[in-house]
Amino acid sequence: MDRMAGFVLVGGNSTRMGRDKAQLPLHGRTLVEHIAGAVAEAAGSVTLIGAPERYRGLGIRMLPDSRPGAGPLGGICTALASTDAEWNLIVACDMPGISAPFLRRLLDAARGSAADCLLPSGPGGLPEPLCAVYHSRCREAVSRALGRGVRKVTAGLAGLNIASWKVGEAQWFRNVNTPEEWAGYLHE
């Protein structure tokens, strides 16, 4: 069986939200605890990538972002540099609709492919690189892209064998970046 690992990116500044998105309350826990639980259940482990001092009290394994200020691609690079797993599930901390069964299906699709990276896409067809599975083969390409100043995740994957995984519902990828988006999510 292929080795798997799970990661949650918590390195953002949450400037549009006005407070730490990862700490938003959801079903008696924080948003990051909800997402970390789903990732751990699907991948068998979870590590938060970001500022350890902000999340130390959660009791979840934490790694500081080795490329602070480089955006999500820097967090992905940190995750890939720290793992010996072949398949790495990497999810942003601001997708409250994420569930373990969905993430398991995503991992299974990746493991059944010959791709370096499996990017799901919703009904609109846009790739979702912050809820994706990265093979360890991506490590060097992502690191080189960051070295060239690339910050856009999809641009950082140039030259890799990327598979798309079509998902019929956009709910899985809905992220919350503003107080209005959060309120809208809670009142659905």
Side-chain angles (χ1 to χ4, degrees), residues 21-34:
K21 295 187 278 194
Q23 298 289 352
L24 292 169
L26 183 65
H27 309 304
R29 301 188 294 177
T30 62
L31 183 55
V32 70
E33 288 172 308
H34 165 73

Side-chain angles (χ1 to χ4, degrees), residues 6-183:
F7 298 89
V8 178
L9 304 180
V10 294
N13 292 326
S14 302
T15 52
R16 290 182 284 167
M17 183 63 73
R19 63 183 183 145
D20 186 358
K21 295 187 278 194
Q23 298 289 352
L24 292 169
L26 183 65
H27 309 304
R29 301 188 294 177
T30 62
L31 183 55
V32 70
E33 288 172 308
H34 165 73
I35 293 170
V39 169
E41 188 178 327
S45 71
V46 67
T47 301
L48 305 182
I49 304 293
E53 62 278 2
R54 287 172 37 193
Y55 307 101
R56 191 168 279 125
L58 296 178
I60 300 171
R61 183 173 183 256
M62 184 82 212
L63 284 175
D65 193 336
S66 65
R67 309 247 187 161
L73 190 61
I76 291 168
C77 185
T78 299
L80 293 174
S82 73
T83 184
D84 62 357
E86 291 171 291
W87 292 103
N88 300 280
L89 174 63
I90 301 178
V91 180
C93 72
D94 61 358
M95 296 182 182
I98 288 298
S99 73
F102 171 77
L103 295 175
R104 269 195 296 277
R105 289 191 304 274
L106 178 64
L107 273 163
D108 288 345
R111 292 168 56 211
S113 77
D116 297 322
C117 180
L118 180 75
L119 299 182
S121 60
L126 294 176
E128 297 289 345
L130 299 183
C131 180
V133 184
Y134 296 83
H135 194 280
S136 59
R137 292 185 296 264
C138 296
R139 185 179 298 129
E140 293 305 316
V142 169
S143 182
R144 282 192 308 273
L146 281 165
R148 292 190 312 271
V150 174
R151 296 296 177 261
K152 184 176 179 183
V153 177
T154 52
L157 303 176
L160 293 170
N161 178 11
I162 299 172
S164 179
W165 189 59
K166 303 290 184 204
V167 177
E169 298 176 21
Q171 75 200 37
W172 305 111
F173 311 118
R174 181 176 180 189
N175 62 0
V176 291
N177 290 308
T178 67
E180 295 78 21
E181 289 172 351
W182 181 242

